[in-house]
Amino acid sequence: MKPTRSAITAIIAWFLFWALMVLVAIEDYRRDGGTAYWQPVLWETSSALAATFLLLLARRITRRNDHLIATPWRWFALQARMLPLYWLAFVPLAFGMRHAVYALAGASYEHEAWPQIFVYESLKLTVFAGLFTVIAFGLLSYRELLGARLRAEQANALLREAQLQSLARQMQPHFLFNALNTISSLMHTDVARADATLVQLADLLRAALALGERPQATLAEELRLARAYAGVMEERFDGRARVEWRIDEALLGIALPAMSVQPLLENVFKHTVERRRNPTCMTVSATRDGEHFMLRVEDDGGILDKDAGDSGQGIGLANLRARLAGLYGDGASLSLSQLLPCGVRTELRLPCAS
């Protein structure tokens, strides 16, 4: 397992602390007239090794209580239970190493009486252990804060994905209902055309089901669905509607909200084609404008409702706006504008990667 940033920080702080202790011991030894500099180095190094071993042992014992960091008094109480371990084990470990090295060097290590040594070193070690316990508490608290923030972000992402999937599922029955209405109307006038349209509807449903419950789809997948839908609607209106496609082939891999092109066409058929006697020509274009992808659906006969402004009407556009907000926030837009002398332009703008 790779060490975390907080663990690396603690290791560096521990190393710098003992390096400072060694330098201070050497300076004090030099001022007292000593010349064997290995002795102060040995004193502090042996203390560092013994303290490191004991702190690592205590950390291993108390690690399972990290979840108590949210209740500091309980966490510190458990850490305080480790103090007898430091008091009893530190002096034998540190002074044992010193006596061993002195013996190997043919010298004798002189120090105060053992009771005084135990009291002094225990008090000093208690201060050091308390200092680094507070530091450890700060590092663990910071790690817990980052973990809580990450869990919150993951929960929000899962919730947003669930909402997007719910909106995408909402579009499928709405779209199917409108397509079946088209076939139903044809059955009363031309059974052969209704049968042909039913075949096109099958292709349309296959394209819709291929999207599954994904919140996003590629432009290529969206165009397959939109072209199938346009074919069904052109059959229904029998010469009163025609769709032209102007698509930049390099953009077919761009990700869009699932079922985002079809509602734009549906809006034109519902609010323009159904209300006009004259033929309506629609143009669907996909281009790139800098770091943005633009999808436009334009018609040559629509009149934008002044009361609705550019917000549009119907479940399709409202649903699409909700999904755009969930996926891109303020980075995406869907707008409708009036063309002159007549016609409506619907523009979908999304950020796209380089």
Side-chain angles (χ1 to χ4, degrees):
M1 180 182 297
K2 294 182 179 180
T4 62
R5 184 176 299 180
S6 59
I8 294 174
T9 303
I11 291 171
I12 294 174
W14 185 252
F15 174 80
L16 292 176
F17 171 77
W18 284 109
L20 178 62
M21 294 295 291
V22 170
L23 292 175
V24 170
I26 292 175
E27 180 62 19
D28 290 342
Y29 181 77
R30 185 187 65 81
R31 288 180 179 179
D32 292 338
T35 56
Y37 292 110
W38 63 271
Q39 293 183 11
V41 173
L42 171 63
W43 302 339
E44 297 304 327
T45 302
S46 61
S47 295
L49 292 175
T52 301
F53 171 75
L54 292 175
L55 285 176
L56 290 176
L57 179 61
R59 177 63 186 147
R60 183 177 181 86
I61 295 172
T62 60
R63 185 187 299 273
R64 62 180 181 273
N65 299 314
D66 284 353
H67 64 283
L68 298 175
I69 203 74
T71 52
W73 68 270
R74 295 182 62 188
W75 187 85
F76 278 107
L78 290 171
Q79 304 304 313
R81 292 169 58 182
M82 295 292 105
L83 286 176
L85 173 65
Y86 304 146
W87 298 337
L88 296 175
F90 177 77
V91 170
L93 287 173
F95 281 73
M97 284 186 280
R98 297 177 192 178
H99 278 284
V101 173
Y102 268 83
L104 291 175
S108 177
Y109 179 49
E110 302 294 337
H111 54 77
E112 296 178 348
W114 286 110
Q116 294 176 330
I117 290 295
F118 267 92
V119 171
Y120 173 75
E121 294 295 338
S122 296
L123 290 175
K124 185 172 69 173
L125 189 61
T126 299
V127 174
F128 292 163
L131 174 63
F132 279 92
T133 298
V134 172
I135 294 175
F137 175 78
L139 293 174
L140 289 174
S141 298
Y142 179 68
R143 187 180 68 180
E144 181 64 22
L145 175 63
L146 292 181
R149 184 179 299 173
L150 177 60
R151 290 190 296 271
E153 290 176 353
Q154 290 173 339
N156 288 335
L158 291 174
L159 177 60
R160 184 168 61 253
E161 183 177 352
Q163 291 171 339
L164 291 170
Q165 289 178 349
S166 175
L167 289 168
R169 286 193 297 268
Q170 179 185 356
M171 282 301 299
Q172 292 184 6
H174 169 74
F175 155 75
L176 179 60
F177 175 78
N178 288 338
L180 289 176
N181 273 345
T182 297
I183 295 176
S184 176
S185 65
L186 286 175
M187 289 292 293
H188 297 286
T189 57
D190 192 330
V191 175
R193 284 180 56 207
D195 181 67
T197 306
L198 189 60
V199 173
Q200 289 182 314
L201 177 61
D203 292 336
L204 183 59
L205 292 178
R206 276 193 292 269
L209 292 174
L211 299 181
E213 295 187 349
R214 291 179 296 162
Q216 290 183 292
T218 64
L219 176 60
E221 292 171 318
E222 283 295 302
L223 289 177
R224 179 188 173 194
L225 177 64
R227 284 186 169 116
Y229 174 79
V232 171
M233 300 304 286
E234 284 173 342
E235 282 294 328
R236 173 184 174 183
F237 290 102
D238 189 21
R240 288 172 51 198
R242 181 169 56 89
V243 181
E244 296 181 358
W245 306 87
R246 300 175 184 175
I247 308 299
D248 185 348
E249 299 292 328
L251 301 175
L252 293 178
I254 292 289
L256 307 175
M259 299 191 72
S260 58
V261 180
Q262 179 271 332
L264 305 185
L265 284 172
E266 179 185 4
N267 193 60
V268 179
F269 278 105
K270 180 177 180 180
H271 295 287
T272 300
V273 178
E274 286 185 357
R275 300 177 182 180
R276 297 185 73 207
R277 293 181 178 273
N278 296 329
T280 299
C281 179
M282 288 164 273
T283 303
V284 180
S285 62
T287 59
R288 182 166 181 165
D289 181 15
E291 296 184 356
H292 287 84
F293 165 79
M294 287 198 309
L295 178 74
R296 286 177 176 169
V297 176
E298 299 179 358
D299 66 76
D300 59 0
I303 301 297
L304 192 61
D305 187 350
K306 295 181 179 180
D307 294 332
D310 70 346
S311 62
Q313 299 175 350
I315 187 175
L317 296 189
N319 182 294
L320 179 55
R321 277 195 171 89
R323 288 183 288 147
L324 288 173
L327 283 169
Y328 306 101
D330 296 333
S333 63
L334 176 62
S335 61
L336 281 73
S337 57
Q338 182 68 57
L339 301 177
L340 296 177
C342 59
V344 173
R345 171 187 294 160
T346 304
E347 182 176 281
L348 174 66
R349 178 182 288 264
L350 306 175
C352 62
S354 300

